[in-house]
Every structure is written in C-alpha cells, then in structure tokens.
Amino acid sequence: MEIATPVTTAMNSVLQALPQTDHQRLLAHSEHVALIYGEVLCEPGNAIPYVYFPNDGSISLLTPVDGHASMEVGLVGREGMAGMGLFLGSRISPVRMLVQGAGSATRMRANAFRQEMQRNSALQRGLSRYLYAFMAQVAQTAVCNRHHLLEKRLARWLLMTHDRAPANEFHLTQEFLAHMLGVRRVGVTGAARQLQEQSLISYRRGHIIIHDRPGLERASCRCYRDVNTIRDRMADEELVGRMEGEGKEEEAPADLVDQLHP
Amino acid sequence: MEIATPVTTAMNSVLQALPQTDHQRLLAHSEHVALIYGEVLCEPGNAIPYVYFPNDGSISLLTPVDGHASMEVGLVGREGMAGMGLFLGSRISPVRMLVQGAGSATRMRANAFRQEMQRNSALQRGLSRYLYAFMAQVAQTAVCNRHHLLEKRLARWLLMTHDRAPANEFHLTQEFLAHMLGVRRVGVTGAARQLQEQSLISYRRGHIIIHDRPGLERASCRCYRDVNTIRDRMADEELVGRMEGEGKEEEAPADLVDQLHP
DNA sequence: CCGCTTATGTGCGCCCCCGAACAGTCAGCG
DNA sequence: CGCTGACTGTTCGGGGGCGCACATAAGCGG
C-alpha cells in the first residue's frame, strides 16, 4: 500500500488512526494552519513551539553541516508529525523544520502536546510506529547519499514529495532542490534536464509537473521502494499484532563473511 | 561531558540510570554475553531475537543498499541499546546488527523486553532519550556522507569506535572499515596512511592503535563534535527538567532566504 | 516597453573517488 | 621451513560532482 496518489481532501494519518474520543480531544487543543512554501517552523537548537500534523503538503527536516549549510535528512507529510523531539522527551529540535511543499496542517502547542501525549496511549503507539518508519527513511537517505547518482536521487526526492503533495504540480526551484539534495544548483539543472528529456517531468521557472509517475519510479533508485516497503511492513505487523496478540521469536545469526564475500 | 575515555569495568548507561529495583528486575531476565568481532546479531527483515545493552565494545547498524551491499548508519555502545525496533513496536529489524568492536553486553529476549518495557516507565524514558541522540547520529551520518572527505570521515569513525572500546587498540581490518564507510578498501588504505603519517594512529594487519586522540579530533569533521553536543544537551535538559518541572515555550521562525543567502 | 529581479543554462579546469588488476607482506600452521 | 590465506600497498584510466564565472531568459512592476 502506498501513501496513495494525491487527493484534495486529505487528512493526517496519525490523527485519523486515533479512536474517536482521543481524536476529538486532541483537535480541541489544536488549530488548522496553512503551510507556506519556504517557511521555517523551527531552527536547530531552538525550542519546538508547535508540533505539526500535515494534511497535505510536506515539511522538510534539515541537519546542519559544518555550522552553516544544511541538507535534508527526512520528509514529513500526512503520514507523520513534525516535532518528534517532543515525543522523545526533548523540548529542543536537533533539526531545522522547513515547509517544502505548500499545504495545510493541524498544529498543537508544545505543552499541550506533551500533556496529551502522556495520557493518550493510542497517540503514543501511533507515533512510535511512525518513528520506526521515519528512522528507516533517514537511514536510507544516509546510504543513498553515498551510493547513488544525482539523477536517481532527484527522482526519488520528487516521488517522495509527490506522494505528500495535493497535486501533480508544485512550486519548486532548482536552487531549493540543490539545497535539499546537498549539491550545486547546476547539478540539479543537468539531472532535471535528463528527467525532462525522458518526458517524466517538466519544469519552468520554479514550477514542476509530474507527467509519468511509473517512469519516475523506474528512474529512481531502489531506496524509494525500500523505504515504502519497510513502512508498509510495519503497518501490516501492527494489524496482525492486534488480531493475534503476541507472536513467537526467531533466531537469525550469520557471519560477516557472508556479507563481504557473497 | 563525553562518553569518557575507555575504562575496563564499564556498565551500560541506560541500565545504570535505572532505579535500583527496576535495574534488578531487568537483570533477572537478562544474561551476560560476549560480543565477538564480526558476529551478526540480526539480519534486516528478520525478527529481533534479543535486545543488547553493550557494556564495552560496540554494535554497528547497517542499512542495505540496492539489495546487497550495506553500510553503517549508526553505532551503538554502552550509551544505548541495539534492537530499538522493539521499543517502537515492531518485532522486525530494518537494519543489520553487526558486532564491530569486541566486548560484552547484557542481553534480553524480545518477549521479556517487551513485557518489561510496558511496565517500566523509567526504561521507556531512558530509551526515548537515547533514541533522540541516536537519530541525531544517523542524520549527521547522512549529511556527513555527502559532504566530507574520506580522511575526515575515517577519523570520526575511529573516534566513535574508540569512545565505545575498552582499550586504545582494537582489531579492525581495512576491508571492514571500507565496508562500514561505504568506500573501496584502497580508499581506506590511503586515508589511514595519511592519519598514520600524522602520528595520530598506527595500524598493522587488522590491529589499530589510537595514539593521539586530540589530534584525531582535529583531523575529524565537525560531525563528531556536533553529535556529542546534541547528546549532551539532551542529558542536561533531562536534569533540568527533573529539577524544575515544566519550562516555557519559545518561538523561532525565520526565512529560507537567511539560509540560502547568509 | 524598460529595467530589475529571479530562475535557468553553459563552459572550464580540478580532484576525489571509483573499478579493476596486480604486487608485496605478514601470520599461522602443518 | 615453506605453504597458504589474509591483509595491505600501488597503479591506471575514467567520471561525477565541485567551484567559479558568465550568459540567457522569464516574470513583474512601473
């Protein structure tokens, strides 16, 4: 199951999965806000003012490098929440939170969230599951940065953004893209042109249109699929867990040699 | 505060921070095991048989790339636990768990851990805090992979391993190192020689000796320091939180332009 | 229609790292 | 003592991405 193709009336998945009463109480302490392209919701090292549950659009999490530059390590859409530091017991964000795809979100003040979280075990479970998937995303980004060509990474990035966007087209400059991917703008120019020559996308002065999603998936590295697989497996496991209770354990050791010399 | 220089009689920090009664009950369901260099504790996609609380030595977490190769995204020593998937509600590990520095650990079966975790809120808090620091480590690895030269990344890796090792020297081949860093072995040969020429380390047939730790820190990229800073800030925050209860919030928006054109 | 800003495109030299193949060297063991 | 396997060192061409500088073009306000 994918995040599904963009729809106009989306709703945050974490909130949606909550029992009705929990959901209502949480909404009572929240507000609905627009996410504006380029807006910075929190700087690294600062206290987190709000947590955000995106409905559509997406929030990019950026880690600083060498004190000044910064690049994307994860992307939050309606499948999750931005401000997970609070969930883990810190008021301080280690990352920059940047609106990368315009849209809307439900937001909640830090203190309200902390209180709600303590008494709402369904919310805890939902966010734990999300965190598992998110960590897989960050880890995959780490290896992807190291191994894959820019063109494939760009394709993956566009797919991830498209999954979380309300439409097939969105505002997005090459300068911005270069910043996210941690490369030069001219690098993006070249990679984007190659995707355009394959009729997968088209772009024009900060406006990108996705034409051929399946083609884009083929042009992307496996990381896109692998991250989705891990997320969906987690979701399946949750369902099974609810139905049959506790499962059984399993051993699975091997040796390094198998990896180094397959 | 650093992880501190290696000592012979170390104890896992997460366990140590628990109240006496919690600690005892947890140990009653655990066992002490040796960590053997090169041992694979869990393969990605498999059920997690045990969680490990290292006392000394370290466990490397590896994410697969393109289905076969895999490289390190995080390192677990006595500051944490391996098998965090269980903490987040999944029985399945998304990463390979590989013993990278020989030593010892306290381990616990998956089911026992899940039961203990549910009723032990001190353990939950401790692991949440650790997870926060660990996520920062993974995120930093992602940007580090993208931006920093091999020599600096190697220095960082050696420092991280040294922090978690019981001695100033440890078994470690260049082939292994190349695997962790996601580069060719010959690349490691060159980078390691440069560190050796600066008298920071010496190595010989799978045996590395750290000679000049401060020098190694200077040769490393800032990522080493930055990750430690985040971890320590989290620890401080926890102490303050315990003493004065709830704090106050803070706003901190800015604009992307500040980042792109500082 | 003009000029300014923003966004995209091109060219050039450079260098780190890649892939592959091969040579040297130490350790352990029969 | 010599064999064998494991570990380290060297070389070569190639290419992706870098930093820099400059050229073009689309939007926008006056």
Side-chain angles (χ1 to χ4, degrees):
Chain A
M1 184 183 77
E2 296 196 348
I3 294 186
T5 41
V7 288
T8 46
T9 57
M11 175 49 162
N12 182 275
S13 308
V14 175
L15 297 183
Q16 196 129 44
L18 293 177
Q20 188 66 17
T21 53
D22 289 338
H23 191 172
Q24 292 302 328
R25 189 177 62 239
L26 203 143
L27 286 183
H29 297 87
S30 310
E31 55 185 331
H32 194 74
V33 291
L35 297 175
I36 297 153
Y37 174 76
E39 188 181 7
V40 174
L41 305 177
C42 188
E43 289 287 346
N46 286 3
I48 304 168
Y50 294 93
V51 295
Y52 291 81
F53 298 91
N55 295 317
D56 47 23
S58 49
I59 297 170
S60 190
L61 304 188
L62 305 158
T63 289
V65 209
D66 300 324
H68 43 82
S70 69
M71 66 173 287
E72 180 177 293
V73 294
L75 187 59
V76 181
R78 73 166 175 281
E79 83 285 2
M81 183 189 95
M84 290 298 285
L86 284 168
F87 178 63
L88 294 175
S90 173
R91 309 191 83 90
I92 298 177
S93 175
V95 294
R96 165 175 306 200
M97 290 161 44
L98 170 65
V99 175
Q100 178 255 102
S104 69
T106 302
R107 81 174 183 187
M108 198 171 182
R109 289 209 77 90
N111 281 338
F113 173 74
R114 285 167 68 102
Q115 285 174 26
E116 181 62 29
M117 197 188 68
Q118 298 216 334
R119 66 177 168 185
N120 191 334
S121 65
L123 180 61
Q124 286 176 25
R125 278 196 306 275
L127 288 177
S128 288
R129 290 187 350 171
Y130 167 61
L131 190 50
Y132 179 87
F134 182 75
M135 286 212 58
Q137 189 193 118
V138 178
Q140 199 70 46
T141 300
V143 299
C144 187
N145 283 344
R146 183 83 205 84
H147 286 284
H148 295 141
L149 295 188
L150 177 53
E151 186 184 341
K152 290 179 179 297
R153 290 202 294 131
L154 173 59
R156 174 164 98 97
W157 196 93
L158 290 174
L159 287 168
M160 289 176 58
T161 299
H162 185 225
D163 284 338
R164 293 160 177 82
N168 282 328
E169 37 194 296
F170 32 87
H171 182 67
L172 200 51
T173 67
Q174 296 190 352
E175 178 84 44
F176 189 97
L177 270 170
H179 193 226
M180 294 298 111
L181 296 169
V183 297
R184 295 175 312 154
R185 183 188 53 76
V186 283
V188 173
T189 303
R193 191 186 49 228
Q194 295 195 294
L195 294 180
Q196 173 146 287
E197 282 168 358
Q198 299 173 260
S199 304
L200 304 177
I201 64 170
S202 67
Y203 59 93
R204 178 171 151 279
R205 291 192 71 73
H207 195 78
I208 287 206
I209 306 177
I210 309 290
H211 286 308
D212 180 359
R213 235 197 102 90
L216 209 50
E217 291 179 20
R218 263 173 274 126
S220 145
C221 52
R222 264 192 54 170
C223 298
Y224 176 70
R225 179 158 58 93
D226 289 346
V227 169
N228 285 352
T229 301
I230 291 177
R231 169 169 43 69
D232 297 343
R233 188 178 60 205
M234 176 57 158
D236 293 348
E237 202 183 350
E238 164 82 356
L239 288 177
V240 172
R242 278 192 195 167
M243 289 188 298
E244 71 182 34
E246 294 292 316
K248 61 181 187 304
E249 299 181 38
E250 188 173 311
E251 302 265 3
D255 201 62
L256 176 59
V257 182
D258 301 339
Q259 169 62 17
L260 291 177
H261 311 285
Chain B
M1 184 183 77
E2 297 198 348
I3 293 186
T5 41
V7 288
T8 46
T9 56
M11 173 49 159
N12 182 275
S13 307
V14 175
L15 297 183
Q16 195 129 42
L18 293 177
Q20 189 65 17
T21 52
D22 289 338
H23 192 172
Q24 292 303 326
R25 190 177 61 240
L26 202 144
L27 286 184
H29 297 87
S30 310
E31 56 185 331
H32 194 75
V33 290
L35 297 175
I36 297 153
Y37 174 76
E39 188 182 8
V40 174
L41 305 177
C42 187
E43 289 287 346
N46 285 2
I48 304 169
Y50 293 93
V51 296
Y52 291 81
F53 299 90
N55 295 318
D56 47 23
S58 49
I59 297 170
S60 191
L61 304 188
L62 305 157
T63 289
V65 209
D66 300 325
H68 43 82
S70 68
M71 65 172 288
E72 180 176 293
V73 294
L75 188 58
V76 182
R78 73 167 176 281
E79 84 286 0
M81 182 190 95
M84 289 299 283
L86 283 168
F87 177 62
L88 293 175
S90 173
R91 309 190 84 88
I92 298 177
S93 175
V95 293
R96 164 176 307 202
M97 290 161 44
L98 170 65
V99 175
Q100 179 256 102
S104 69
T106 302
R107 81 174 182 186
M108 199 172 181
R109 291 207 75 89
N111 280 339
F113 172 74
R114 284 165 68 101
Q115 285 174 26
E116 181 61 29
M117 196 188 69
Q118 298 215 334
R119 65 175 168 187
N120 190 333
S121 65
L123 180 61
Q124 285 175 27
R125 277 197 306 277
L127 288 177
S128 288
R129 289 187 350 171
Y130 168 61
L131 190 49
Y132 180 88
F134 182 74
M135 286 212 57
Q137 188 194 117
V138 178
Q140 199 69 45
T141 301
V143 299
C144 186
N145 282 345
R146 183 83 204 83
H147 286 283
H148 295 142
L149 295 188
L150 178 53
E151 185 183 340
K152 289 178 179 296
R153 292 202 293 130
L154 173 59
R156 174 165 99 96
W157 196 92
L158 290 174
L159 287 168
M160 289 177 57
T161 298
H162 186 224
D163 284 336
R164 293 161 177 81
N168 282 329
E169 36 194 297
F170 32 88
H171 181 66
L172 200 50
T173 69
Q174 296 189 352
E175 178 82 43
F176 189 97
L177 270 170
H179 192 227
M180 294 299 111
L181 295 169
V183 296
R184 297 173 312 154
R185 182 188 53 75
V186 280
V188 174
T189 303
R193 190 186 51 226
Q194 293 194 293
L195 294 180
Q196 173 147 286
E197 281 169 359
Q198 299 172 259
S199 304
L200 304 177
I201 64 169
S202 67
Y203 59 95
R204 178 170 152 281
R205 294 189 71 71
H207 195 78
I208 287 206
I209 305 177
I210 308 290
H211 287 307
D212 180 359
R213 234 197 100 89
L216 209 50
E217 291 180 18
R218 262 175 274 124
S220 145
C221 53
R222 264 192 54 172
C223 297
Y224 175 71
R225 178 158 59 93
D226 289 346
V227 168
N228 285 352
T229 300
I230 291 177
R231 170 171 40 69
D232 297 342
R233 189 178 60 203
M234 175 59 159
D236 294 347
E237 201 183 351
E238 164 82 358
L239 289 178
V240 172
R242 278 192 195 168
M243 288 188 297
E244 69 184 35
E246 294 292 316
K248 62 179 185 303
E249 300 179 35
E250 188 173 309
E251 302 266 1
D255 200 62
L256 175 59
V257 182
D258 301 339
Q259 169 62 18
L260 292 177
H261 312 283

